[in-house]
PDB file of all heavy atoms in Angstrom:
ATOM      1  N   PRO B 185      30.191   6.654  16.665  1.00  0.00           N
ATOM      2  CA  PRO B 185      29.764   7.248  15.380  1.00  0.00           C
ATOM      3  C   PRO B 185      30.966   7.703  14.576  1.00  0.00           C
ATOM      4  O   PRO B 185      31.945   8.213  15.127  1.00  0.00           O
ATOM      5  CB  PRO B 185      28.894   8.420  15.831  1.00  0.00           C
ATOM      6  CG  PRO B 185      28.349   8.000  17.148  1.00  0.00           C
ATOM      7  CD  PRO B 185      29.470   7.217  17.797  1.00  0.00           C
ATOM      8  N   SER B 188      34.080   2.629  11.328  1.00  0.00           N
ATOM      9  CA  SER B 188      33.633   1.546  10.457  1.00  0.00           C
ATOM     10  C   SER B 188      33.736   0.237  11.212  1.00  0.00           C
ATOM     11  O   SER B 188      34.653   0.038  12.018  1.00  0.00           O
ATOM     12  CB  SER B 188      34.495   1.478   9.198  1.00  0.00           C
ATOM     13  OG  SER B 188      34.319   2.640   8.423  1.00  0.00           O
ATOM     14  N   SER B 190      32.823  -4.255  11.015  1.00  0.00           N
ATOM     15  CA  SER B 190      32.514  -5.430  10.188  1.00  0.00           C
ATOM     16  C   SER B 190      31.948  -6.534  11.056  1.00  0.00           C
ATOM     17  O   SER B 190      32.401  -6.733  12.186  1.00  0.00           O
ATOM     18  CB  SER B 190      33.760  -5.932   9.469  1.00  0.00           C
ATOM     19  OG  SER B 190      34.190  -5.015   8.483  1.00  0.00           O
ATOM     20  N   ASN B 214      11.756  -5.373  11.616  1.00  0.00           N
ATOM     21  CA  ASN B 214      13.079  -5.787  11.119  1.00  0.00           C
ATOM     22  C   ASN B 214      13.273  -5.244   9.705  1.00  0.00           C
ATOM     23  O   ASN B 214      12.330  -5.165   8.905  1.00  0.00           O
ATOM     24  CB  ASN B 214      13.213  -7.297  11.118  1.00  0.00           C
ATOM     25  CG  ASN B 214      13.171  -7.867  12.513  1.00  0.00           C
ATOM     26  OD1 ASN B 214      13.455  -7.191  13.486  1.00  0.00           O
ATOM     27  ND2 ASN B 214      12.801  -9.126  12.621  1.00  0.00           N
ATOM     28  N   GLU B 249      26.433   5.870  11.776  1.00  0.00           N
ATOM     29  CA  GLU B 249      25.507   6.910  12.189  1.00  0.00           C
ATOM     30  C   GLU B 249      24.821   6.462  13.483  1.00  0.00           C
ATOM     31  O   GLU B 249      24.725   5.254  13.758  1.00  0.00           O
ATOM     32  CB  GLU B 249      24.463   7.152  11.099  1.00  0.00           C
ATOM     33  CG  GLU B 249      25.037   7.666   9.786  1.00  0.00           C
ATOM     34  CD  GLU B 249      25.407   9.147   9.866  1.00  0.00           C
ATOM     35  OE1 GLU B 249      24.944   9.845  10.791  1.00  0.00           O
ATOM     36  OE2 GLU B 249      26.184   9.589   9.005  1.00  0.00           O
TER      37      GLU B 249
END
Side-chain angles (χ1 to χ4, degrees):
Chain B
S188 295
S190 291
N214 295 337
E249 296 284 343

